[in-house]
Amino acid sequence: MHEAELKDKQYVWHPFTQMQDWVSRPQQVIAAAKGIKLIDTDGNEFYDGVSSLWVNLHGHRKNEIDEAIIDQLGKVAHTTMLGLANIPASELAEQLVEIAPPGLNKVFYSDDGSTAVEVALKMAFQYWQHKGKPNKQKFISVEQAYHGDTVGTVSVGGIDLFHRVFKPLLFTPVHIPAPSCYHCQLASDPATCGMKCAAVLEQVLAEHHEAVAGLIIEPLVQAAAGMLMSPPGYLAKVRELTRKYDILLIADEVATGFGRTGKMFACEHEAVAPDMMTLSKGITGGYMPLAATLTTDEVYNAFLGDYTAKKTFYHGHSYTGNPLACAAALANLKIFREEKVIEGLSPKIAAAAAKLEQIANLEHVGDVRQRGLIIGIELMQDKSRKLPYPWEQAAGASVCLQARKYGLIIRPIGDVVIFMPPLASTVDEINTMLDIIKRSIREITAEGWAGAGLQPTDL
């Protein structure tokens, strides 16, 4: 056992992990990385099939980002934004506004996806106080939503397994049905229902809009729910209805932003301009923690006034607008421009789709969901009846562990196998990784398999 693994098991508490199981099993220790591969302490190489939790875009040790951070280190690593400005944060804000949906002209920095959403919730709440509508205090969120792990973001979340233990700490949102056709509970035939989920949303808005400050949504893809995909037109309808009923629309693009869906932001697919948009994960290309909450002049201006009016947004973080992170983010955006990353995604997305057609035909694959290079493969014990595997069988975790034997690191969400490779992956690399996933599913779900005794959070 490597010394780092010993120290890890003695001192480290891992996220989303049952530590009793963790310390009882051998664990991989990553020592290095290059391109889209991770290298462990034994020198074994693995494809980074989930982009190190959906953050890495251009591969590891990308020279342009390395050099940008080194260059910034020669100037200043950090300085507070309370009472001071800094060059990288100012330049990055300008560039984010340039690429964002129209109308998002102001940038508030924080540290990660959770804090970006927390900022948006507090900002939306306070906005209505300044607009003379203090009763608008509630939020509408989608069932099975995930927006982070701080108390405010858990409040607007909807994943029972993650959130139920914290219920006494939370405020209560108004939940609307998840727009997932495969798991639809509203209609017998989602293909012909006319988006009944949107009709339910309008009923909720008509009833509650006078008390609602905002609606928060993961545009197009509910990632942590198992890559649930909304039907075409749903997001645009949400924008239409929030405008009709005077509700702020918060688009949580933490997971979907920066090319993951095939466009820079998921909102672009349906020409949606939200009132607020939260960003993190890929913002620095997977290098450093950074987040941003973008909003409109209308929201920003509501906070302006004389000091004595106490309209200030009293929120901030020690590392807000960190120059090193902002320098990495600027290099990330430069790579998008110079390497024409978005323009180069189409053949990669098409290659993934072709492989997924084969995977969808496997006996125990119930549903395959793809939006750009965001992919979820849902396993079913009986796909014809949508009968899931028993929880204790941990089918998804077992498939992911099997894939490691063939040099691919992926993770499950329950029995949904998640595949979100770096955007820099080539067509050949995408084909290779999906072949490994296909092989692993076939081997693990073969007749007579009784599970590996794993927990879904073991990976």
Side-chain angles (χ1 to χ4, degrees):
M1 184 182 295
H2 193 277
E3 182 181 8
E5 185 179 353
L6 286 170
K7 291 180 179 179
D8 177 280
K9 290 182 174 181
Q10 185 172 357
Y11 299 114
V12 179
W13 191 343
H14 285 257
F16 286 87
T17 301
Q18 176 46 253
M19 295 305 296
Q20 178 173 296
D21 295 320
W22 176 269
V23 299
S24 69
R25 303 177 190 277
Q27 302 297 342
Q28 222 99 37
V29 178
I30 299 302
K34 180 63 177 176
I36 71 162
K37 286 193 172 182
L38 303 171
I39 306 166
D40 72 8
T41 49
D42 294 323
N44 301 308
E45 295 187 358
F46 301 86
Y47 287 108
D48 189 356
V50 287
S51 300
S52 295
L53 203 56
W54 317 346
V55 300
N56 190 279
L57 301 180
H58 312 298
H60 300 273
R61 293 169 57 192
K62 183 71 173 175
N63 187 58
E64 292 86 342
I65 304 179
D66 290 352
E67 289 185 352
I69 294 171
I70 293 168
D71 181 65
Q72 184 60 40
L73 275 171
K75 299 170 183 175
V76 58
H78 181 64
T79 176
T80 180
M81 292 194 76
L82 275 71
L84 296 172
N86 73 66
I87 294 170
S90 302
E91 292 180 352
L92 177 60
E94 178 186 33
Q95 292 189 24
L96 288 174
V97 167
E98 287 175 353
I99 63 173
L104 295 172
N105 297 328
K106 301 296 179 182
V107 178
F108 193 102
Y109 289 115
S110 58
D111 303 339
D112 56 28
S114 296
T115 56
V117 173
E118 197 86 17
V119 166
L121 297 174
K122 291 176 68 176
M123 205 176 271
F125 182 92
Q126 190 173 342
Y127 167 81
W128 291 111
Q129 309 302 304
H130 297 329
K131 296 297 286 186
K133 296 184 177 181
N135 292 330
K136 291 174 77 68
Q137 298 184 7
K138 288 186 174 293
F139 288 89
I140 295 174
S141 64
V142 181
E143 291 175 353
Q144 301 184 66
Y146 177 83
H147 297 289
D149 297 317
T150 56
V151 170
T153 59
V154 169
S155 293
V156 293
I159 299 179
D160 184 61
L161 175 64
F162 297 170
H163 300 154
R164 63 187 172 215
V165 68
F166 303 110
K167 192 171 182 179
L169 298 175
L170 311 179
F171 64 79
T172 304
V174 179
H175 277 123
I176 56 175
S180 168
C181 293
Y182 184 70
H183 294 284
C184 183
Q185 302 295 314
L186 300 173
S188 57
D189 185 2
T192 60
C193 75
M195 276 200 299
K196 193 168 183 180
C197 48
V200 172
L201 168 60
E202 179 150 28
Q203 293 171 5
V204 169
L205 288 173
E207 181 179 351
H208 296 284
H209 68 96
E210 292 182 355
V212 172
L215 183 152
I216 183 166
I217 190 170
E218 301 160 87
L220 303 188
V221 182
Q222 288 184 263
M227 301 306 175
L228 303 182
M229 311 281 180
S230 60
Y234 179 81
L235 180 63
K237 187 65 175 179
V238 170
R239 174 71 284 193
E240 175 191 328
L241 292 173
T242 50
R243 282 206 175 102
K244 176 179 177 180
Y245 288 98
D246 200 19
I247 304 293
L248 294 177
L249 176 60
I250 304 168
D252 180 355
E253 291 251 19
V254 169
T256 56
F258 299 99
R260 291 295 183 189
T261 65
K263 294 184 180 292
M264 185 62 81
F265 301 112
C267 284
E268 294 178 39
H269 287 275
E270 298 190 5
V272 164
D275 301 293
M276 297 182 186
M277 184 168 73
T278 61
L279 303 173
S280 190
K281 288 197 181 291
I283 193 171
T284 65
Y287 266 67
M288 302 186 73
L290 181 67
T293 303
L294 278 63
T295 193
T296 61
D297 290 329
E298 164 62 28
V299 172
Y300 173 85
N301 289 338
F303 288 77
L304 301 181
D306 186 85
Y307 179 74
T308 59
K310 299 179 180 178
K311 287 187 172 183
T312 301
F313 184 52
Y314 291 107
H315 185 103
H317 303 268
S318 298
Y319 284 92
T320 290
N322 173 256
L324 286 179
C326 290
L330 285 165
N332 172 38
L333 294 182
K334 186 177 181 181
I335 292 166
F336 268 99
R337 294 191 301 269
E338 293 187 350
E339 298 188 8
K340 300 188 184 303
V341 172
I342 299 296
E343 295 86 340
L345 289 176
S346 292
K348 302 177 184 183
I349 294 168
K355 283 289 182 183
L356 290 170
E357 286 184 11
Q358 301 172 21
I359 292 174
N361 289 326
L362 295 178
E363 181 181 358
H364 295 286
V365 171
D367 192 34
V368 169
R369 301 185 280 272
Q370 179 188 14
R371 175 69 74 165
L373 289 178
I374 298 176
I375 293 161
I377 301 165
E378 185 158 2
L379 307 177
M380 286 284 168
Q381 189 175 48
D382 185 337
K383 65 191 295 182
S384 64
R385 295 187 291 151
K386 292 186 181 179
L387 177 67
Y389 283 98
W391 173 257
E392 61 274 11
Q393 203 159 335
S398 298
V399 167
C400 293
L401 277 180
Q402 188 77 355
R404 286 197 189 184
K405 296 179 181 179
Y406 306 121
L408 172 64
I409 290 178
I410 49 175
R411 284 185 57 85
I413 297 175
D415 283 343
V416 180
V417 175
I418 303 302
F419 181 54
M420 194 187 291
L423 303 185
S425 306
T426 66
V427 166
D428 286 345
E429 288 168 334
I430 288 169
N431 283 333
T432 297
M433 288 185 277
L434 284 170
D435 279 339
I436 291 172
I437 292 173
K438 179 182 177 182
R439 177 180 181 179
S440 299
I441 292 172
R442 293 182 68 173
E443 290 175 354
I444 288 298
T445 60
E447 185 177 355
W449 172 72
L454 301 169
Q455 294 296 321
T457 54
D458 274 355
L459 290 170

